[in-house]
Amino acid sequence: MTERAPSPQAELAAFLRAKRARLQPEDVGLPRGPRRRTPGLRRQEVAQLAAVSVEWYVRLEQGRVGTPGSAVLDALAEALRLTPDEHRHLHLIARRETPVRPSTRPPHALVRDSLRQLLDGIPLFPAYLTDHRLDVLAHNPAARALFGPGFGTGPTDNTARMLFLDPATRATQLDWPRVARETVGHLRTAAAHHPDDPRLTALLTELRSHSHEFTLWWDDHTVLDRATGTKRVRHPEAGDLRLHYDILTTGPHRLFTLTPADPATDRALRHLVTTHTAALTATHPTTTVRPITAA
């Protein structure tokens, strides 16, 4: 009998487990901590380093996740300290393609510990960090409660891609045309500042190829560097929310914060966040989730 080849998901899962097992916490700047019984990094440590949720990464190592996004694979390559050859192999087995840039993200894309602490210190209001491409680099649990458990991974690893290419996200945005057009304006400004960025170019090509609205607004040369505003979001649990958003620039990163614009939203958002935080704590009582990698 001929031995059956492993599925792509199983091959990816085995690769990730092998690369995780070869690393020690001190290799990636993490404390060893007590009661470490198995060699290598723990799954929650890889999730923390790669800016993904623990639940999603556990499913990924179990072969129960679809095709991860390129940005997520790049973040995993950084977290696992993959060599350039290993990085290319990761993309090949996960997506059957080589990365746009075979090297890992540049140092300025890394999120400082102080910024991670800032996100963790905003427990009740959704907050997240992006780069100029609007790739999600870090977010707090409140952002995950608002945008969903997979926020920052897969099709939601970039907020522009979320808005234009994810129907579920579009349906929640009650002010979609305005917010989406603002996003086009931001990317137009980013393209002017970073004309030689291949990952930004690839994102723009993807959006133009799959979104008529993006192409229309891109071709009319919408330019905008937004900093604040208000939008309405329809959440499946919390209902309709009216939120202020503020965008602060810190070095190469942009900090997005979402705060209630009225008392009803304040009550609904607080209930949503505290409920999800309690559920996460019950599932992982000893884990502090500080994911890193929406409009």
Side-chain angles (χ1 to χ4, degrees):
M1 295 181 62
T2 302
E3 185 177 353
R4 180 178 298 177
S7 67
Q9 291 87 353
E11 186 179 4
L12 174 61
F15 181 79
L16 293 173
R17 289 194 299 269
K19 299 309 174 186
R20 175 168 61 87
R22 73 179 181 178
L23 290 174
Q24 297 302 318
E26 51 269 27
D27 296 332
V28 295
L30 294 176
R32 170 164 289 276
R35 302 194 313 183
R36 185 174 292 272
R37 298 173 182 172
T38 58
L41 294 178
R42 293 168 174 158
R43 286 170 169 169
Q44 58 262 41
E45 291 170 335
V46 176
Q48 174 186 335
L49 291 167
V52 298
S53 73
V54 176
E55 296 90 341
W56 181 87
Y57 184 76
V58 168
R59 294 198 305 272
L60 183 66
E61 277 205 7
Q62 292 173 342
R64 298 191 293 116
V65 172
T67 304
S70 295
V72 175
L73 293 175
D74 290 342
L76 289 171
E78 282 186 7
L80 295 170
R81 302 300 192 262
L82 300 187
T83 67
D85 287 342
E86 291 170 337
H87 188 181
R88 285 190 292 271
H89 183 71
L90 176 66
H91 277 259
L92 283 172
I93 60 177
R95 298 180 60 82
R96 295 300 184 252
E97 63 186 23
T98 57
V100 175
R101 260 172 61 172
S103 59
T104 56
R105 286 181 292 177
H108 70 260
L110 299 176
V111 177
R112 301 191 305 272
D113 285 342
S114 59
L115 291 178
R116 295 177 190 250
Q117 291 172 341
L118 177 61
L119 289 176
D120 287 343
I122 312 175
L124 289 177
F125 301 134
Y128 57 95
L129 288 168
T130 74
D131 57 16
H132 61 276
R133 308 177 198 93
L134 298 180
D135 286 342
V136 179
L137 303 177
H139 60 278
N140 65 3
R144 198 160 57 251
L146 180 64
F147 296 118
F151 179 56
T153 66
T156 60
D157 63 358
N158 177 282
T159 60
R161 188 180 290 113
M162 284 177 64
L163 274 174
F164 285 97
L165 304 185
D166 181 42
T169 296
R170 180 166 179 162
T172 67
Q173 298 291 320
L174 301 182
D175 300 305
W176 186 88
R178 174 175 57 82
V179 174
R181 188 159 188 155
E182 288 177 355
T183 301
V184 176
H186 167 83
L187 290 177
R188 169 71 71 177
T189 301
H193 284 290
H194 306 274
D196 299 321
D197 183 342
R199 290 176 59 195
L200 177 58
T201 300
L203 172 66
L204 297 175
T205 299
E206 178 185 4
L207 295 174
R208 286 173 60 86
S209 298
H210 294 92
S211 171
H212 169 74
E213 293 98 336
F214 184 90
T215 301
L216 179 67
W217 293 329
W218 183 265
D219 288 344
D220 76 5
H221 290 263
T222 294
V223 176
L224 180 67
D225 195 6
R226 58 178 175 163
T228 187
T230 302
K231 66 176 181 177
R232 295 171 301 147
V233 173
R234 177 160 291 162
H235 192 275
E237 298 175 41
D240 289 0
L241 305 172
R242 186 166 170 264
L243 299 164
H244 294 310
Y245 59 84
D246 292 279
I247 307 168
L248 308 175
T249 300
T250 170
H253 304 123
R254 286 162 176 78
L255 172 64
F256 287 70
T257 61
L258 293 157
T259 52
D262 55 55
T265 297
D266 187 24
R267 292 190 295 270
L269 184 62
R270 287 174 183 270
H271 178 73
L272 174 70
V273 171
T274 53
T275 299
H276 278 253
T277 301
L280 180 64
T281 302
T283 306
H284 300 280
T286 62
T287 301
T288 299
V289 179
R290 299 191 337 182
I292 187 177
T293 158

